[in-house]
């Protein structure tokens, strides 16, 4: 996603956005507040799993909320994802179909078989129409990245095959932040 970098806006702009998202004026953005703020454009609530992943990434104090100090990074992250999503939504349908996902994954450097791409679409297709919404696209990319990084730690010769013991597998899975 590195090539979808938007410039950081002014502190005034961020404070204005932060104040509107922080509906209860607690000074922190909760998962519920973030979920309300992020619109899918599809009249469906933003995937709570994606919200949780994003709060977790920018919650420096481990409180389950994001402070104004960390909000700039979160704002930039979401905005970069929007740019990324729009660039792969070639037909401007507001969602990502199978072919658009395939192009995105190839661009990100993944080499996956057709059946794996089918499986990824099925897993993230909430409407049952073979398409992926913005929030599910983010979740899909984060999870794929996390799983691939975990695999690569064991795949030291990078041949795409690993041999691990049962307890190594457990420790790998339990340490994943997904
Ligand atoms: Ca709040
Ligand atoms: Ca599309």
């Amino acid at each position: 996603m590195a090539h979808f970098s938007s410039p950081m806006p002014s502190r005034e702009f961020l404070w204005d956005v932060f104040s509107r998202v922080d509906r209860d004026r607690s000074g922190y953005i909760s998962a519920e507040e973030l979920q309300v703020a992020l619109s899918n454009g599809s009249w469906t609530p933003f995937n709570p799993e994606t919200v949780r992943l994003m709060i977790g990434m920018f919650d420096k104090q481990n409180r389950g909320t994001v402070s104004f100090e960390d909000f700039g990074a979160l704002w930039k992250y979401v905005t970069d994802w929007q740019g990324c999503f729009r660039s792969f939504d070639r037909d401007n349908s507001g969602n990502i179909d199978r072919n658009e996902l395939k192009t995105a994954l190839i661009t990100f450097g993944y080499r996956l078989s057709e059946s794996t791409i089918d499986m990824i679409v099925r897993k993230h297709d909430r409407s049952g129409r073979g398409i992926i919404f913005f929030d599910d696209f983010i979740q899909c990319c984060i999870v794929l990245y996390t799983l691939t990084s975990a695999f690569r730690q064991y795949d030291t010769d990078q041949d795409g095959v690993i041999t691990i013991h049962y307890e190594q597998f457990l420790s790998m899975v339990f340490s994943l932040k997904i």
Side-chain angles (χ1 to χ4, degrees), residues 22-30 33:
D22 180 21
R23 299 180 130 205
D24 66 355
R25 310 255 162 217
S26 66
Y28 295 93
I29 293 179
S30 65
E33 288 167 338

Side-chain angles (χ1 to χ4, degrees), residues 85 88-97 100 131-132:
F85 185 82
F88 288 115
D89 180 20
R90 289 289 155 87
D91 61 357
N92 287 314
S93 62
N95 51 60
I96 297 284
D97 64 27
E100 289 167 342
I131 53 170
I132 301 178

Side-chain angles (χ1 to χ4, degrees), residues 79-92:
T79 306
D80 288 350
W81 270 118
Q82 284 168 335
C84 172
F85 185 82
R86 281 194 207 108
S87 79
F88 288 115
D89 180 20
R90 289 289 155 87
D91 61 357
N92 287 314

